[in-house]
Amino acid sequence: MTFFMQMLVSGIVVGSIYALVALGFVLIYKASDALNLANGEFVLIGSYICLTLVTALKLPFLVALAVTLGVCGVLGLLVERVVLRPLLNAPTISVIMATIGLGNLLAGLVHMVWGHQTRVYPNLFPNTPVTFGEVLITPVYLWSFIIVMALLLAFTIFFKFSKMGVAMRAVADDLQAAASMGINVKRVFAITWAIACIVAAVGGVLLGNINGVNATMSVIGLTVLPVVILGGLDSIPGAIVGGFIIGILQSMAGGYIDPLVGGGLKEVFPFIVVILILMIKPYGLFGRGGMERV
Amino acid sequence: MKNPFVMECGNYKTKYEKDMAIFSIKRVKIRMLGLAILAFLFPLLADNYVIGLATLCAIASIGAIGLNILTGFTGQISIGVGAFLGVGGYTSAILTSTLGLSFWVALPVAGLITASVGALFGIPSLRLKGLYLAIATLAAQFIILFIISRWTGLTGGTSGMVLQRPSIGSFSFMSASSYYYLCLIILLFTIVYALNLFRSRTGRAFLAVRDRDVAAEIMGINLFTYKVLSFAISSFFVGIAGALLAHYTMIVSPELYSITVSIQYLAMILVGGLGSILGSILGAIFITLLPVGLGFVMDYIAVYMPDMQNTLAAFHELAFGAVIILFLIFEPDGLAHIWSNIKHYFKVWPFSY
């Protein structure tokens, strides 16, 4: 039972980070109907920038984090302006491929600048594990969970009540109607990309604190795809619920099935789940299927 | 007056047969024959390294045509080609190395097995569209690779398997040029098949599915049949390419069929031109030779900056990404479109209209 609880807790924590990264995907899909396969590289870049600021420039963590988020926001604006805007009316596959190309470009840049070795964040949180009953939790995990929850809550409120959030939802719902009501669609797109990039950077900083930073971290961009699809590409609650479901399932698969098949199932398991779910609900758990007319 | 370089001009077709013809006029046919003969004569002039590159281009072209049938012509996005290449390669490896069958049996069987695996993963395509389907094929990529690397008894796990080059009687296709000829002939078959496919009922159904699948269904096209069929046909060629590649490199192992390979194939058809056979070939050549070209550039730079060698791999990645983005932004219809622009320019040359 303790083992089960341990797996459950670590699944929930990893799931919360998945939910955060998945949020980046959903934001971009909602605003511009594109799937951003460079999201993993955004995570990576955010993590490296913050690390460099903390270790090389010796900035205090919170200042470094603020600077990182600022830089990543600008990066998001830049990417939207240079790569995505020319492809506004391009077919789905072109947009996917453009973001894959962007991912390659950014990964190349990161490898050139920072190399391949794993680097570790200085200890920001105390190291002694906290115990709840018989379950051990490292403070890093606990803090990550709290930060992610706070961010997800903040975003939900932002989308429900702020003017920009409402404009974003309007654009997502019907681009032409939103534009004709006087919403500056280009501005909404740009801000969406900036926010998505910032969200990814937060995920990167948290992951970096947990595991250290190296080039393989960008894999999270692919790992999170089942989360997004499971929840539904256009649903923010879907991203959150999907994140927890996949996180917990993955952790359970790692704990219980991996020893039987000799490891490695942990990475594939979310994809198997997603294929099965899609057979029953083709738009994920919370996604909306559009009506089609000829 | 009989200038062989003069372009055909105008559109004076009076019969449907003429409209459907592969070669619009006799001169085009001769020109294409000439091109094929050039491809056959080329190993006489080149050294083994260049022939090897040409072989890789030919194999990649077969796979790219396969993928283009699915993505370019039928409109079903697939990010799982890498794994399907692996299915082809491993099938051939198991049949020839473990079971001791002849290559000539293993090659078509590899195609058929890959086709059935492709069709299996194509089944969700009836309900999934666009991005959801793309992710389903991505899932196929991960699941197939997982099976390949875990089913140690059958595939040798992560250590892979060793293959032999094919042979007829006592003649073995060991030399670079003989294997090049083998791949070239199969490529020619692929081209002829693909060109004819889109003149047939099936091919036109594929195009209808791509353009508007709901409309196609209303017009009586069975979406399920044709979507799964397009997955099967496409995977057949990808499987053949995989088997040829496996016998060329003489080794199969899981890391040869990663997601990177899938992305390279997608890049080939996008850079070449979606929905174009010529584009698939041009794109395959371009993406296969890109690292070679970049290698030359790096050698040149390395003279001035010796420590640049370490960042070579990263530079490849960066340049690959940049090339894709630039193509998508500035020439979304790919190399095939550039080629047709050049042709149109010379059609009216020296006048501008």
Side-chain angles (χ1 to χ4, degrees):
Chain A
M1 197 58 202
T2 316
F3 184 69
F4 176 82
M5 286 306 289
Q6 192 76 52
M7 286 295 139
L8 187 69
V9 168
S10 81
I12 289 174
V13 173
V14 175
S16 65
I17 295 182
Y18 283 175
L20 189 65
V21 180
L23 185 65
F25 278 104
V26 173
L27 282 177
I28 287 179
Y29 181 79
K30 270 179 91 79
S32 54
D33 275 354
L35 192 64
N36 174 25
L37 288 182
N39 210 353
E41 277 73 19
F42 285 164
V43 172
L44 186 63
I45 285 189
S47 194
Y48 266 122
I49 292 179
C50 188
L51 179 73
T52 312
L53 292 174
V54 171
T55 54
L57 298 182
K58 300 270 185 286
L59 289 180
F61 177 69
L62 284 179
V63 179
L65 183 67
V67 176
T68 308
L69 299 189
V71 172
C72 286
V74 174
L75 178 71
L77 292 178
L78 197 73
V79 162
E80 194 276 335
R81 185 68 195 83
V82 176
V83 181
L84 272 302
R85 198 170 293 177
L87 295 173
L88 209 54
N89 289 319
T92 319
I93 175 135
S94 302
V95 181
I96 292 188
M97 201 60 207
T99 59
I100 292 178
L102 180 69
N104 269 301
L105 188 94
L106 294 176
L109 266 180
V110 166
H111 297 169
M112 276 179 161
V113 178
W114 283 288
H116 281 89
Q117 24 338 27
T118 302
R119 299 178 191 212
V120 198
Y121 270 84
N123 280 330
L124 300 169
F125 307 106
N127 259 335
T128 42
V130 186
T131 49
F132 289 97
E134 291 174 53
V135 182
L136 293 176
I137 306 173
T138 336
V140 183
Y141 281 110
L142 201 61
W143 277 107
S144 303
F145 181 70
I146 293 169
I147 294 171
V148 170
M149 284 292 97
L151 268 176
L152 290 177
L153 187 69
F155 272 113
T156 316
I157 293 171
F158 171 78
F159 280 111
K160 274 255 147 40
F161 302 112
S162 83
K163 207 171 172 188
M164 195 63 212
V166 175
M168 279 180 173
R169 284 194 290 148
V171 170
D173 203 46
D174 189 337
L175 198 146
Q176 283 188 336
S180 59
M181 296 307 282
I183 291 174
N184 187 342
V185 175
K186 283 180 183 168
R187 195 157 142 254
V188 169
F189 278 176
I191 291 177
T192 311
W193 274 85
I195 293 181
C197 205
I198 288 172
V199 168
V202 174
V205 172
L206 293 179
L207 273 176
N209 269 306
I210 294 175
N211 292 330
V213 194
N214 69 9
T216 55
M217 192 199 245
S218 58
V219 175
I220 187 145
L222 292 178
T223 318
V224 165
L225 281 177
V227 172
V228 192
I229 294 291
L230 179 68
L233 270 170
D234 50 6
S235 158
I236 291 178
I240 300 169
V241 175
F244 286 122
I245 293 179
I246 294 285
I248 294 170
L249 282 179
Q250 196 175 32
S251 175
M252 294 295 169
Y256 289 101
I257 312 179
D258 256 5
L260 304 178
V261 296
L265 187 72
K266 203 178 164 190
E267 279 73 40
V268 192
F269 198 64
F271 285 100
I272 299 175
V273 173
V274 154
I275 287 239
L276 295 178
I277 297 272
L278 284 184
M279 292 284 201
I280 305 161
K281 284 187 80 74
Y283 294 96
L285 296 177
F286 298 91
R288 266 182 321 163
M291 194 162 69
E292 288 203 52
R293 292 202 184 89
V294 178
Chain B
M1 194 50 225
K2 281 246 168 186
N3 179 350
F5 294 105
V6 168
M7 293 287 168
E8 66 275 24
C9 149
N11 187 0
Y12 306 113
K13 286 157 186 158
T14 49
K15 285 181 183 159
Y16 284 118
E17 290 79 47
K18 273 196 172 170
D19 198 37
M20 293 295 291
I22 292 181
F23 305 114
S24 49
I25 54 173
K26 202 177 165 196
R27 204 176 290 143
V28 178
K29 197 176 189 172
I30 295 171
R31 223 180 285 151
M32 287 300 142
L33 262 176
L35 206 63
I37 291 171
L38 265 185
F40 272 97
L41 291 181
F42 148 83
L44 301 178
L45 307 166
D47 62 357
N48 276 351
Y49 175 65
V50 178
I51 298 172
L53 286 180
T55 312
L56 287 177
C57 289
I59 296 172
S61 301
I62 298 171
I65 290 176
L67 179 61
N68 221 338
I69 290 176
L70 182 66
T71 301
F73 288 103
T74 323
Q76 316 286 307
I77 301 172
S78 167
I79 321 187
V81 210
F84 291 129
L85 276 177
V87 173
Y90 267 99
T91 310
S92 191
I94 292 162
L95 290 179
T96 56
S97 299
T98 315
L99 300 179
L101 284 174
S102 151
F103 168 81
W104 309 106
V105 181
L107 184 69
V109 174
L112 291 175
I113 298 268
T114 317
S116 45
V117 175
L120 183 71
F121 279 101
I123 290 173
S125 68
L126 183 66
R127 300 194 67 191
L128 306 181
K129 272 176 198 159
L131 293 170
Y132 287 93
L133 181 63
I135 305 301
T137 55
L138 186 72
Q141 161 90 35
F142 284 108
I143 294 171
I144 292 174
L145 268 197
F146 175 74
I147 294 173
I148 287 178
S149 54
R150 288 294 151 211
W151 198 345
T152 322
L154 188 70
T155 62
T158 43
S159 50
M161 294 174 80
V162 178
L163 291 86
Q164 298 302 317
R165 288 279 173 87
S167 57
I168 304 179
S170 60
F171 177 75
S172 161
F173 284 82
M174 262 328 272
S175 75
S177 52
S178 63
Y179 204 74
Y180 168 75
Y181 282 125
L182 176 68
C183 295
L184 184 64
I185 289 168
I186 294 175
L187 172 61
L188 286 180
F189 273 117
T190 311
I191 296 173
V192 170
Y193 177 84
L195 283 177
N196 281 311
L197 176 66
F198 294 102
R199 302 163 74 208
S200 75
R201 184 187 179 85
T202 315
R204 274 175 285 140
F206 284 176
L207 297 178
V209 170
R210 173 190 66 185
D211 290 342
R212 201 88 177 95
D213 57 354
V214 182
E217 193 174 22
I218 289 165
M219 286 162 74
I221 290 171
N222 186 338
L223 278 191
F224 185 68
T225 314
Y226 281 105
K227 281 184 173 176
V228 171
L229 189 64
S230 77
F231 265 94
I233 293 177
S234 153
S235 306
F236 178 81
F237 288 113
V238 174
I240 295 278
L244 284 175
L245 189 66
H247 284 275
Y248 177 70
T249 54
M250 298 202 278
I251 191 161
V252 285
S253 83
E255 67 264 29
L256 294 176
Y257 305 111
S258 64
I259 176 91
T260 327
V261 180
S262 301
I263 290 172
Q264 274 174 350
Y265 272 84
L266 270 180
M268 283 175 198
I269 62 168
L270 272 164
V271 166
L274 281 177
S276 152
I277 307 286
L278 173 73
S280 318
I281 300 168
L282 292 179
I285 295 173
F286 183 85
I287 295 291
T288 313
L289 296 186
L290 184 66
V292 182
L294 286 175
F296 280 123
V297 176
M298 290 308 283
D299 286 346
Y300 192 70
I301 298 174
V303 177
Y304 303 100
M305 287 185 276
D307 52 337
M308 276 296 273
Q309 278 300 329
N310 302 331
T311 52
L312 185 71
F315 181 69
H316 275 177
E317 222 173 350
L318 190 146
F320 179 75
V323 162
I324 291 173
I325 294 177
L326 291 178
F327 257 102
L328 286 170
I329 293 176
F330 294 109
E331 192 56 270
D333 294 326
L335 291 167
H337 189 238
I338 294 181
W339 173 241
S340 76
N341 276 350
I342 295 173
K343 265 198 337 200
H344 285 144
Y345 177 80
F346 280 106
K347 243 178 213 176
V348 290
W349 190 83
F351 308 107
S352 57
Y353 51 87

